[in-house]
Amino acid sequence: MTQLINTWSKDPSEEDSMTDEHAWIWREMIDCIPHADLSQAKVLDIGCNQGGFLRMLYDTQPFAEGVGVDLAQDRIALADAAKGARPLSYLATDTLADAGTGFDLAFSHEVIYLIEDLEDHARQVAAVLKPGGTYDAITCCHADSPLWAGWRPKIAAFSNIPVPNHSVADIAAAFRAAGLDLSISRFLARAFIPNEPPSDYFPSDLARLETYCTWKLCFRARRPA
């Protein structure tokens, strides 16, 4: 079992800004959902942090039930406090089965790169999806991205959990080994990328564009019907 933590980042303010920083990507994730009507759907958010993605998804396309899981206990408390009357629940756990089974849709955003045992993760996902259910795991933090070698030590410096070094092939192989049908997209290939000044993570405007449009990938794993 992976040890539960209070916060993912050693600096909680780093996490407090995620809802605003990730909102535009979450909207792209919602636009890519392969179902027009989610009213009867059961949805799982893996690595939910403060719960912003499920709140946005429900407010955009209401669904029947949503569950968010995360290792960070303090973030789960914040997510639960912010859910309002939405049909959402949040759990601090590393075991997806604790959230139930029969999920139509599952999501993670910049989470899978932090999971040490990818094959175990893929098996857990396969067990909680209903037949025909899909899991979208989205990340640009992988060994094939040109900026990752510079990013990894920066992230490791503030992360409360280890930061592995997975390649695209590593992630893909884990899903296939779990018996899931896998497809991969360049997730933001046609998106408009918000422009910000160069930074420690993106040394130029072109590096930002290239990383998001070329190396931010969506691994869509489907449990066979």
Side-chain angles (χ1 to χ4, degrees), residues 200-221:
D200 287 344
Y201 284 86
F202 298 105
S204 68
D205 292 335
L206 186 59
R208 180 184 299 274
L209 185 65
E210 181 72 11
T211 299
Y212 278 124
C213 291
T214 302
W215 297 109
K216 187 137 180 133
L217 306 179
C218 177
F219 297 83
R220 174 164 289 173

Side-chain angles (χ1 to χ4, degrees), residues 63-157:
F63 47 81
E65 179 184 356
V67 183
V69 297
D70 204 290
L71 296 177
Q73 300 169 96
D74 287 2
R75 304 300 100 176
I76 288 295
L78 293 172
D80 197 58
K83 70 183 182 183
R86 302 174 185 89
L88 305 175
S89 58
Y90 296 96
L91 299 170
T93 182
D94 72 333
T95 303
L96 298 186
D98 291 346
T101 58
F103 287 95
D104 299 273
L105 298 167
F107 300 90
S108 69
H109 176 236
E110 296 302 352
V111 170
I112 196 167
Y113 79 96
L114 293 168
I115 296 172
E116 185 71 40
D117 190 338
L118 291 173
E119 290 196 358
D120 177 67
H121 176 66
R123 287 192 296 268
Q124 289 196 48
V125 167
V128 301
L129 288 177
K130 69 188 297 185
T134 61
Y135 170 41
D136 284 359
I138 295 159
T139 186
C140 61
C141 295
H142 52 79
D144 298 286
S145 171
L147 294 183
W148 175 241
W151 286 5
R152 189 182 178 210
K154 290 182 175 68
I155 295 171

